Amino acid sequence: MAENEAPGERNENIRVVVRGRPLSTGELEAGYESIVHFDSVQQTVALKDPHSGAVKSFTFDHVFGPDSTQPDIFNEVARPIIDNVLEGYNGTIFAYGQTGSGK
C-alpha cells in the first residue's frame, strides 16, 4: 500500500498499451515492408525512416506485436481492470484506432 493510500483503497495509474497489426495481404502483395518494430520485452515501438534509416523509438506501458492474440491482450490488459470493477472499484478501458484494426 502506498503511503498516501487509505486502507482498502487502490491507487492505479493510466496505462498506455500499444498493439501493432501485421501487414495486410494487399500490403504484402504490393511489396510493402513494415517500418515499425515492436519490442514486447523493452516495451518499445521503433519507427525506421525508409529513406534516411533514422530510427525513432517510443516507450509504452505494454507493447503487443503483430503476432499477439486477443486472449493475450485481454488477459494482460482488460482482465485486471474487470476484476477490480467486480470488487467495486472504477475502471475504464479506452480503445482507440482505425475501424477493423483489432481493438
Side-chain angles (χ1 to χ4, degrees), residues 26-65:
E27 290 167 332
L28 291 171
E29 289 173 354
Y32 293 117
E33 294 180 21
S34 179
I35 62 167
V36 183
H37 173 73
F38 301 93
D39 186 334
S40 58
V41 174
Q42 297 294 321
Q43 307 306 335
T44 59
V45 175
L47 305 173
K48 183 176 181 181
D49 185 316
H51 304 292
S52 69
V55 176
K56 183 94 173 171
S57 187
F58 302 90
T59 303
F60 297 93
D61 294 305
H62 203 97
V63 173
F64 291 95

Side-chain angles (χ1 to χ4, degrees), residues 1 9 19 40-41 45 49 51 65 74 77 84 89 91 93 100:
M1 178 167 44
E9 184 178 309
R19 179 187 193 183
S40 58
V41 174
V45 175
D49 185 316
H51 304 292
F74 175 80
V77 178
N84 285 340
Y89 297 95
I93 299 171

Side-chain angles (χ1 to χ4, degrees), residues 60-80:
F60 297 93
D61 294 305
H62 203 97
V63 173
F64 291 95
D67 57 343
S68 299
T69 65
Q70 289 292 100
D72 292 338
I73 296 164
F74 175 80
N75 288 326
E76 182 69 31
V77 178
R79 185 177 301 277

Side-chain angles (χ1 to χ4, degrees), residues 2 4-5 8-15 61 76-85 87 89-92:
N4 60 349
E5 275 185 45
E9 184 178 309
R10 292 187 186 187
N11 185 11
E12 304 224 1
N13 296 321
I14 294 172
R15 297 187 325 158
D61 294 305
E76 182 69 31
V77 178
R79 185 177 301 277
I81 296 170
I82 292 169
D83 290 343
N84 285 340
V85 167
E87 291 179 20
Y89 297 95
N90 292 329
T92 301

